[in-house]
Amino acid sequence: MGSGEGKSSVELRDESVSGSVLTKGSMFSMKEVGESFGRREMWRRVMDSIKIAIFSDKINLLIPCGPLAMLVDHLTHHHGWVFFLSLLGIIPLAERLGWATEQLAFYTGPTVGGLLNATFGNATELIISMYAMKHGMLRVVQQSLLGSILSNMLLVLGCAFFCGGIVHPHKPQVFNKSNAVMSSGLLLMAVMGLLFPTVLHFTHTELHFGKSELALSRFSSCIMLIAYGAYLFFQLTGQENSYSPITEEAIPDNDNSDDDESPDISKYESIIWLSILTLTISVLSEYLVNTIEGASIALNIPIAFISVILLPIVGNAAEHASAIIFAVKDKLDISLGVAIGSSTQISMFAIPFCVVVGWIIGVPLDLNFQLFETATLIMTVLVVAFMLQVLPILENLTCMSSSVM
């Protein structure tokens, strides 16, 4: 009786021990399954993010040109090929940098998103300018930033008007005149800031030769940065109430799907991609700047042509394409915003920012863009401002004459 009870107690203990072992084993197995599932899920999200960021656009086929430029520089030191491949490699990275900024703006709201677009909108030009300034190539800095303004105001705007007119020959192209006038006014203000050091230099009215010109440039840069900050504050807080379209029917609301856009990736993925793309552009920009002089000799191209034409086109290639695409879709207002807004950012932010950074690190970068470059910039801004004032009047006259006939 007692032995039977003892045996039953031993069996019960064995069963409880085996049950606890099974319970622990099942817990370990479930934990391993959970960790395995978590790793698979994380790996799937990483692959989806890479697929969206890298393989979603045909222009990203140029991304391998970046690593190829590094390989060519390491094996051959042929500056012409390294420069050319670096240019091609930066084009898709600049476009993806703008895409990552837009993705992050979905989560930050309109105010912070606007500040992000203002900061990273010309990040490629700023990075190239920083490396050129580091190597003492101050004329390359000046000419590349000047070329960015000219390419946006002349090439991009002209192509937008031309392509929009070709695709919609019998339909008037309308745009928000108030925004255009505001941006043109800021550009004229920036031109004045660039004009004063040049006039001071060529009229030989400096009190201290070389120093007064540099001091005036730094003072003008600080004023322009403050003015641009005030413009951003006004634009982000009161633009909806301050601006109104030319007519009620100015911008047709045919494509509601374009307004209901949603982000492609999460907020943290946007931050990670923004960091990766900025770092990659920085690395390629160093290869690009290091080979400018060698490429000029190897390809028999003047450095001025590289600075004014090639570097701005590469840095703004994505903006150029988007402005033309919007014009073809009969959204000229957005095309004007891209072209003139980018020029405003460069003239009011990028150029003064480079001068202030040069002041901090001890590089004597000034706003004396030489007489020919400054005159070209003045004429460009005046012609574009006059055209934006006259075009709505011409459109109204055309509509009136067609209605009378």
Side-chain angles (χ1 to χ4, degrees):
M1 184 85 178
S3 62
E5 293 179 355
K7 184 177 180 181
S8 62
S9 63
V10 170
E11 289 178 352
L12 289 174
R13 278 199 306 270
D14 290 340
E15 290 177 357
S16 62
V17 170
S18 62
S20 62
V21 172
L22 288 174
T23 304
K24 291 181 180 179
S26 62
M27 290 177 61
F28 281 121
S29 62
M30 290 180 64
K31 184 177 180 181
E32 291 176 356
V33 169
E35 291 178 353
S36 176
F37 178 76
R39 285 194 296 266
R40 286 199 302 268
E41 180 66 18
M42 185 176 65
W43 180 251
R44 185 188 64 80
R45 294 189 63 179
V46 169
M47 296 304 296
D48 290 342
S49 181
I50 294 174
K51 182 180 178 181
I52 294 172
I54 304 299
F55 300 104
S56 61
D57 203 334
K58 293 180 180 179
I59 196 175
N60 294 336
L61 293 174
L62 296 175
I63 288 180
C65 293
L68 190 59
M70 302 177 190
L71 183 63
V72 171
D73 181 69
H74 180 72
L75 296 178
T76 66
H77 299 285
H78 193 287
H79 287 178
W81 279 108
V82 175
F83 176 80
F84 180 71
L85 291 171
S86 299
L87 279 178
L88 294 180
I90 288 178
I91 291 175
L93 295 177
E95 189 273 335
R96 290 288 89 184
L97 185 65
W99 168 81
T101 305
E102 292 176 357
Q103 295 299 310
L104 185 59
F106 278 110
Y107 301 97
T108 56
T111 302
V112 180
L115 292 175
L116 286 173
N117 286 322
T119 304
F120 288 94
N122 297 285
T124 304
E125 293 91 332
L126 283 175
I127 292 172
I128 294 175
S129 299
M130 292 298 108
Y131 278 104
M133 192 188 307
K134 176 183 175 182
H135 288 80
M137 305 171 70
L138 302 185
R139 285 295 292 163
V140 172
V141 177
Q142 292 178 330
Q143 291 175 342
S144 63
L145 294 174
L146 177 68
S148 296
I149 299 175
L150 295 179
S151 66
N152 281 305
M153 299 291 288
L154 297 176
L155 179 63
V156 178
L157 208 55
C159 290
F161 280 121
F162 178 78
C163 295
I166 292 295
V167 177
H168 307 282
H170 303 293
K171 188 176 182 180
Q173 301 184 65
V174 294
F175 57 90
N176 193 322
K177 185 179 177 181
S178 300
N179 284 338
V181 170
M182 173 67 72
S183 299
S184 300
L186 284 173
L187 283 173
L188 288 172
M189 178 182 173
V191 168
M192 290 177 60
L194 299 177
L195 179 63
F196 291 146
T198 304
V199 172
L200 184 65
H201 175 79
F202 284 96
T203 55
H204 305 287
T205 55
E206 297 176 272
L207 294 177
H208 304 284
F209 183 77
K211 295 182 179 179
S212 300
E213 176 187 335
L214 184 59
L216 180 59
S217 299
R218 290 169 175 173
F219 175 77
S220 300
S221 298
C222 294
I223 295 298
M224 284 193 285
L225 286 175
I226 294 173
Y228 184 68
Y231 164 71
L232 277 183
F233 177 79
F234 169 72
Q235 187 183 39
L236 297 174
T237 57
Q239 185 180 14
E240 294 181 358
N241 297 325
S242 300
Y243 298 135
S244 59
I246 301 173
T247 61
E248 292 290 337
E249 301 83 15
I251 302 176
D253 190 14
N254 295 328
D255 298 327
N256 294 327
S257 59
D258 295 340
D259 300 331
D260 299 332
E261 294 181 354
S262 59
D264 298 326
I265 55 178
S266 67
K267 182 171 76 170
Y268 295 105
E269 288 173 337
S270 303
I271 296 174
I272 292 173
W273 278 114
L274 201 61
S275 304
I276 293 174
L277 291 168
T278 303
L279 180 62
T280 309
I281 291 175
S282 301
V283 173
L284 276 183
S285 297
E286 186 171 8
Y287 282 89
L288 183 70
V289 172
N290 288 336
T291 55
I292 286 179
E293 295 180 349
S296 175
I297 298 173
L299 302 176
N300 196 22
I301 299 176
I303 295 181
F305 181 84
I306 293 175
S307 303
V308 178
I309 305 298
L310 296 182
L311 294 182
I313 290 178
V314 168
N316 295 316
E319 296 173 353
H320 295 180
S322 62
I324 295 173
I325 290 172
F326 282 125
V328 170
K329 293 180 178 180
D330 196 23
K331 297 180 179 180
L332 185 62
D333 197 48
I334 301 179
S335 299
L336 284 173
V338 171
I340 302 180
S342 181
S343 299
T344 304
Q345 289 178 6
I346 295 171
S347 59
M348 297 292 295
F349 175 74
I351 294 177
F353 180 78
C354 289
V355 173
V356 172
V357 170
W359 186 8
I360 294 173
I361 64 177
V363 176
L365 180 65
D366 55 35
L367 296 178
N368 179 15
F369 280 66
Q370 303 302 321
L371 190 59
F372 177 75
E373 288 92 338
T374 305
T376 304
L377 180 61
I378 293 173
M379 292 301 297
T380 300
V381 174
L382 289 177
V383 168
V384 171
F386 177 76
M387 180 191 67
L388 295 178
Q389 291 282 347
V390 171
L391 275 179
I393 301 175
L394 294 178
E395 290 289 349
N396 292 331
L397 291 176
T398 303
C399 294
M400 289 173 61
S401 62
S402 61
S403 62
V404 170
M405 293 178 63

